[in-house]
Structure formats: C-alpha cells, structure tokens
Amino acid sequence: MEETSEAGSHALIGELCRRAVELIGADGARGTGVRRVRLQVGDSSVELEWPETVAVGAPAAALPLAAPLGEVAPEADDLHHVCAPTVGTFYRAPEPGAPPFVGVGDTVEKGQQVGIVEAMKLMNPIEADRPGQVVELLVPDGTPVEYGQSLLAIAPLDAP
C-alpha cells in the first residue's frame, strides 16, 4: 500500500468533511438526528459532535445577528460569511497577545487576512474573499471549528 503524503491526507480529510456535511444535511432533512460523526484516514481522525439543541439544517435567517451599538445589522440576505477551509482551531490574531486581524466595524479588502485556522500544527491563513465591513465575529478566539463553519460575517460596502 502506498503512503499518503501529508498534503494528500489534508485533502482527503477535507473531502471526508465535505461528505459528512452533505450526509448530516440529508439526515437533518429526514429528522433522524445525527449528532456525531467520526472520520479517519490512516492515523489521522476527526470527530465532530453536536449538542441535541442544535437544529441541523436550520435556516440561517433564524439566527440572530450582532451589530455594533448604534448600527442596524444588514439583512441576512446581504451578508457574506467567511468560512473555515478545514477542521482545526480558529485564532483571531497572529500570535497570543497580538492585536486581532479584524474586529466588528472594520473594513476589509478582498484577500485581506482575517484569521488563522490551525490544523495539525499548520497555520492556514483565512482571507476575506470579497470586500466589505465586518458586522459579526461568529467564533471566539481559540475555538475548535469544523470544515465550512462560518467564522465571521461581512456586509457589502455601499456603492458610491
């Protein structure tokens, strides 16, 4: 049997996570309530578990939005979510004690780094994939995240 490279393992784990999300979404539609998924490739494994109170497949519009004081949060349809590209630990700053990459109210450009997801001792930069204003930080610093999980919400900039 041929050994899988580290990059190949990361890609395989990512694909398995995507498939798990699809299966969980299908399960949520049937209402059978999958709460735990374990993925394993060689010596690497990922285990995800949700509390019973989490409604898999719940519409995003039902989730509350946070906005800075004195501002009205944009409609949910206008927001773009920057998501985790892999399972790992989300960090808002480049190192402990350093200022965070972005905060609520900050304007970001496409390609600007907004966080880091650490996966297997690799630091994966998280970049904004469109310009806008950060309206909500959805994940606290140092929190484990899953593939595709929303990390922060960006509202589009008003056209001049």
Side-chain angles (χ1 to χ4, degrees), residues 68-85:
L69 293 176
E71 291 185 25
V72 176
E75 292 298 318
D77 295 335
D78 293 342
L79 295 181
H80 172 72
H81 287 219
V82 176
C83 299

Side-chain angles (χ1 to χ4, degrees), residues 42-139:
D43 294 335
S44 301
S45 67
V46 175
E47 195 165 321
L48 307 171
E49 187 170 348
W50 296 264
E52 289 183 45
T53 58
V54 173
V56 177
L63 301 174
L65 297 174
L69 293 176
E71 291 185 25
V72 176
E75 292 298 318
D77 295 335
D78 293 342
L79 295 181
H80 172 72
H81 287 219
V82 176
C83 299
T86 187
V87 173
T89 303
F90 176 69
Y91 295 106
R92 294 186 53 223
E95 59 187 36
F101 290 106
V102 295
V104 172
D106 289 352
T107 300
V108 296
E109 299 296 324
K110 181 178 180 177
Q112 179 179 339
Q113 188 168 0
V114 296
I116 296 171
V117 172
E118 177 187 6
M120 298 175 62
K121 302 294 181 194
L122 294 175
M123 300 299 176
N124 300 289
I126 309 302
E127 297 177 348
D129 51 353
R130 62 181 63 180
Q133 182 179 25
V134 177
V135 295
E136 186 175 11
L137 301 170
L138 301 166
V139 178

Side-chain angles (χ1 to χ4, degrees), residues 23-35 56:
L23 291 171
I24 291 165
D27 179 69
R30 290 192 307 266
T32 58
V34 167
R35 291 184 39 233
V56 177

